[in-house]
């Protein structure tokens, strides 16, 4: 592999690792709460949900407000319990709330996908209901932060390595180029053609 | 008759949509071969993708070096990024030295009979500035000397029939 390709690759991979590392670190901090609109179509079987990926020890807190249609029920399920809910089987929720507005606040022990389910409140099944849910994940996802920082440092190292390769290559290039003057160089003219050689017979020594 | 290498200009710069291109200029008794040594799209990368775009473009910057003493002009002339101008195909050649920079402007016929314009700026390498600085000369003076060296090279290299189409810089 050519040196230029090598350091180009190191720069490219390093930049990519830094970007992914930064994204992973910043993304895992969950600095601001997230607000989502929801709507539940009219009908007994309709509901809506928001899936949230939580790490072990994370706290999920938030609130909901119904903007039209009256009271709703909010449940928070673990992944497996949500599947039971979806299939109409017996299911257990972690937290629930009812009304035209409310709050929720849970802390989970296991990292997994959790579901915030919004369904019609009793007596409001026949109407379409809309509103918004705000939720925020609180806590430090050390795995993601560690991964992000690791990628960031790895990316920096790749760039430093690429930089060192580039410097070395530049030095070699400069050394190669020094054989030429920094100004205009003239090439040696071709050697002049020697005059045609005329063969002459050897002169015999005088006879004594 | 075999093509004879006359001289080498270590650096001339061309500008294109893809960014700055740096050439080594090999002048023979038959043609001028602009050998691309550096393709720099950092500026273009910056305009498209900001600092990250510039960094990626800078990493993709390629520099090539050639041994001009032994390189065959036909091989150099056949490389895709290089520009070849046959001296007998020159329609006009202008050495334009001024406050905004020193340029050579070629107008020449290509192999398919079309007329093409090609302009490069004469800006020396940093080593040239250092050498001139050691001689007690300033930057501006160095740039002027470099351009004059190139003009002198062309005075020696161009065939008599072509010199009538040249506008020299005084």
């Amino acid at each position: 592999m050519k040196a230029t390709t090598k350091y180009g690759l190191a720069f490219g991979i390093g930049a990519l690792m830094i970007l992914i590392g930064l994204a992973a670190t910043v993304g895992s901090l969950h600095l601001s709460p997230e607000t989502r609109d929801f709507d539940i179509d009219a009908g007994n079987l309709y509901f809506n949900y928001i899936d949230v990926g939580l790490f072990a020890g994370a706290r999920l807190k938030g609130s909901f407000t119904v903007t039209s249609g009256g009271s709703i029920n909010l449940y928070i399920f673990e992944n497996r319990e949500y599947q039971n809910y979806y299939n109409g089987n017996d299911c257990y929720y972690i937290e629930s709330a009812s009304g035209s507005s409310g709050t929720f606040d849970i802390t989970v022990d296991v990292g997994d996908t959790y579901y915030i389910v919004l369904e019609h409140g009793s007596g409001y099944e026949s109407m379409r209901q809309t509103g918004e849910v705000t939720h925020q994940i609180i806590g430090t996802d050390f795995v993601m932060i560690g991964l992000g920082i690791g990628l960031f440092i790895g990316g920096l190292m790749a760039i430093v390595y690429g930089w060192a390769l580039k410097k070395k290559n530049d030095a070699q290039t400069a050394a190669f180029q020094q054989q030429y003057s920094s100004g205009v160089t003239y090439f040696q003219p071709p050697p002049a053609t020697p005059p045609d050689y005329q063969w002459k017979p050897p002169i015999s020594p005088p006879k004594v | 008759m075999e093509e004879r290498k006359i001289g080498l200009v270590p650096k001339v710069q061309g500008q294109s949509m893809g960014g700055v291109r740096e050439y080594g200029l090999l002048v023979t008794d038959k043609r001028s071969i602009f050998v691309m040594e550096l393709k720099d799209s950092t500026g273009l990368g910056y305009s498209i993708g900001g600092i990250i775009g510039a960094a990626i473009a800078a990493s993709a910057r390629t520099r090539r070096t050639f041994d001009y003493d032994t390189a065959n002009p036909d091989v150099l002339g056949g490389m895709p990024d290089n520009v070849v101008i046959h001296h007998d195909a020159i329609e006009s050649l202008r050495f334009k030295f001024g406050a905004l920079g020193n340029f050579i402007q070629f107008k020449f016929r290509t192999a398919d009979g079309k007329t093409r314009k090609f302009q490069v700026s004469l800006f020396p390498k940093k080593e040239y500035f250092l050498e001139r600085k050691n001689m007690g000369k300033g930057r501006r003076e160095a740039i002027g000397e470099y351009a004059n060296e190139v003009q002198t090279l062309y005075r020696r290299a161009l065939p008599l029939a072509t010199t009538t189409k040249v506008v020299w810089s005084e």
Side-chain angles (χ1 to χ4, degrees), chain A residues 2 4 7-9 11-12 15 19 166 169-170 173-174 176-190, chain B residues 4-10 26 37 52 56 59 61 63 65-69 125 127-128 131 146 149-150 152-153 156:
Chain A
K2 284 198 305 184
T4 48
Y7 68 68
L9 260 178
F11 280 136
L19 282 177
K166 186 178 184 306
N169 187 56
D170 287 353
T173 305
F176 180 80
Q177 285 178 336
Q178 272 185 357
Q179 64 180 304
Y180 298 107
S181 149
S182 59
V184 171
T185 309
Y186 286 92
F187 292 94
Q188 289 294 320
Chain B
R4 191 165 63 85
K5 294 176 193 170
I6 308 286
L8 174 73
V9 183
L26 177 66
E37 293 188 348
I52 292 169
I56 291 170
S59 72
R61 192 165 57 178
R63 180 175 276 287
T65 47
F66 297 90
D67 185 351
Y68 290 100
D69 280 327
K125 293 190 172 187
E127 292 84 0
Y128 190 85
E131 283 172 17
Y146 186 71
E149 281 183 27
V150 178
T152 307
L153 169 64
R156 292 191 194 177

Side-chain angles (χ1 to χ4, degrees), chain B residues 104-169:
Chain B
I104 321 179
Q105 296 170 326
F106 288 90
K107 198 171 163 190
F108 63 102
R109 283 186 319 281
T110 57
D112 52 4
K114 290 178 184 165
T115 300
R116 187 183 159 187
K117 286 179 182 173
F118 186 68
Q119 173 175 295
V120 287
S121 74
L122 303 173
F123 193 80
K125 293 190 172 187
K126 61 181 176 191
E127 292 84 0
Y128 190 85
F129 287 114
L130 286 173
E131 283 172 17
R132 293 301 177 281
K133 192 179 173 185
N134 291 337
M135 294 176 196
K137 294 177 180 175
R139 189 177 170 81
R140 204 173 177 78
E141 204 177 346
I143 293 172
E145 273 189 19
Y146 186 71
N148 282 328
E149 281 183 27
V150 178
Q151 186 167 258
T152 307
L153 169 64
Y154 270 95
R155 281 187 195 276
R156 292 191 194 177
L158 290 178
L160 196 62
T162 308
T163 51
T164 56
K165 298 168 187 171
V166 182
V167 180
W168 304 103
S169 178

